[in-house]
Structures are given as structure tokens and as C-alpha cells.
Amino acid sequence: MVRKSFLAAVAIGALLLAGCASPSSDRDAAGVGATACTDAANWMGCMFTQGKLPITALSMPGSHDAATYAISSDSEYANGCGTVPSSIPKGITAKWAKTQDGNMGKQAANGSRYFDIRTYWDGSNTLSTCHTLSGASFADAMGINSDFQKFARSHPNEIFILDIQQFFAETGDPSSELRKESLRNWIDAELGDIVVKRASVDQKLQDVTLASMRASNRNVIVLTRDDFAISQTQWPRGTNLYSEWQDDSDAAKTFWWVGTDSTN
């Protein structure tokens, strides 16, 4: 696999990559050995046919800055989204900022199930993405006609996490109420029929199993910053996910919260 295909980003519980052991409670009931699951596009459906486990019991490969595949030397600088000085030639910045070679559909086909998204309202107030430079639009990355949605809809036994965790805007306040409504409306319009909904404002992902998601025919979970989680189609990150991205030689870490306190 090429270097930029995906980065291990969500990790707690059992290792789920092909060739690694999966929890016996689900694997043994299904009668499927871990080494039999070699298709990256269908690894969840293969390894967890019963779906008894909560989503927070799974480890999964993920894509860091998943929508940067569209970045090129022609991309515009995104206001506030990064620290690379503009004095550095844009061609060099673009090579650094582009962390993924393939679009999110290709990343999913390669086995990625967690997608890190930086949200950016561009100069025309269009929902887009960024990593110092402007990346793919939301529509191209995750919209109804995107390769990602085509893959997600054709693989109902796979579960996908969209972690929309940072917000930037070319003009105005990226955290304004209008921007929060803009994001909610986009999610409802473009992902509404496949996004997993909270049954109540207090529900946590540790209470949601793969089986329940599959039974509802919904397989996309949207995580957002707590103040953006204004509808039941969005899950607040603060009570469901813990991230520790460090600029050093250690691997970046993202964990599910599995308790109601600081236990992870």
C-alpha cells in the first residue's frame, strides 16, 4: 500500500486488521477466523457477522486529514488552517499538506473506517476542507454523489466514522450559529438517510452496537465538536472520543471514551 493510503488513528480494544485476532465472543459465534478476512473493503462484515460488539470496542485504521487528496500547488491558502508561512513555496507546502493520495472512497476500499476532517468555509462560503491549503469540498469528499458515499451505501456491514473536529473560515466566525446550522443542514441533506442518530441527547456510542446500526440501515457516524453537535445526527466528541495529536516521534493517538469519567 502506498505511504499515504491511511494512518492508524482510532485504537482501543481488539486489533481488527486482517491477520490479527478478533474478539472471540463475536468471531467464534460467526465461525470466522481472523486470517480468513483478507478483503480490506469488507473486513468489518467478515470479522463481525454477529455485530454484538459496541463500536467503542473496535480498533480501526483511519485517515488523517482525509480530504487533502485534492490539494495541489494551485490550491489557495486557507485562513487560519495551518502554520506553514506563506514565504515557503506553495509547491513545497502542498506536498506537505497533502496527506492522502486517494479520495475517501479509495481510502475506504483500502480498509480505512475513521476519517479526520478539518472543516473550512471558503471565500464563497462553501463547505470545504483544509490543511494549510484548501482541500476537497464537502460535496466532493462526502456528498451524495461522492465515491465515499457510493462505497458506504454498497457496503452496509461496514461502519464509517466522520470526525469533523476543527473549523475554519475565510471570512467571519467559523463557530457562529449560522455556521453550525450550515453544517447541520449539510449533514441532514447529504447524509441524512445513512447517518446514525442519537436516540437521546445523552446517548453515548459505547451503547451502540454494530448490529443495531446494521438493523437501522445506517452506517455513518458523524462526530463533531460539542458546541456543533446541535442535532441528533451529530455525536459530541467530548463525551465519545479523546484525541492526542503530538508533533513528535510518537504515534498520534485517538481513543474512544469507554466510561463517563476520564477512563479511556
Side-chain angles (χ1 to χ4, degrees), residues 61-137:
S63 301
H64 178 54
D65 284 310
T68 58
Y69 62 87
I71 287 178
S72 73
S73 59
D74 294 325
S75 299
E76 297 294 330
Y77 284 97
N79 182 36
C81 186
T83 58
V84 178
S86 58
S87 59
I88 294 178
K90 193 185 285 187
I92 294 175
T93 299
K95 289 180 180 179
W96 170 84
K98 183 178 179 178
T99 63
Q100 304 296 333
D101 288 328
N103 66 29
M104 287 172 55
K106 291 180 180 178
Q107 293 168 42
N110 282 335
S112 190
R113 295 295 176 266
Y114 166 94
F115 301 87
D116 164 40
I117 306 293
R118 298 190 187 192
T119 303
Y120 169 60
W121 282 272
D122 65 17
S124 61
N125 209 34
T126 299
L127 264 171
S128 189
T129 63
C130 64
H131 188 213
T132 297
L133 301 176
S134 60
S137 67

Side-chain angles (χ1 to χ4, degrees), residues 6-7 22 32-33 75 80 82 134 162 170 181 221 228 239-240 263:
F6 57 77
L7 170 68
S22 60
V32 177
S75 299
S134 60
L162 301 179
E170 192 61 29
E181 289 286 346
I221 294 169
F228 271 81
T239 53
N240 289 290
T263 304

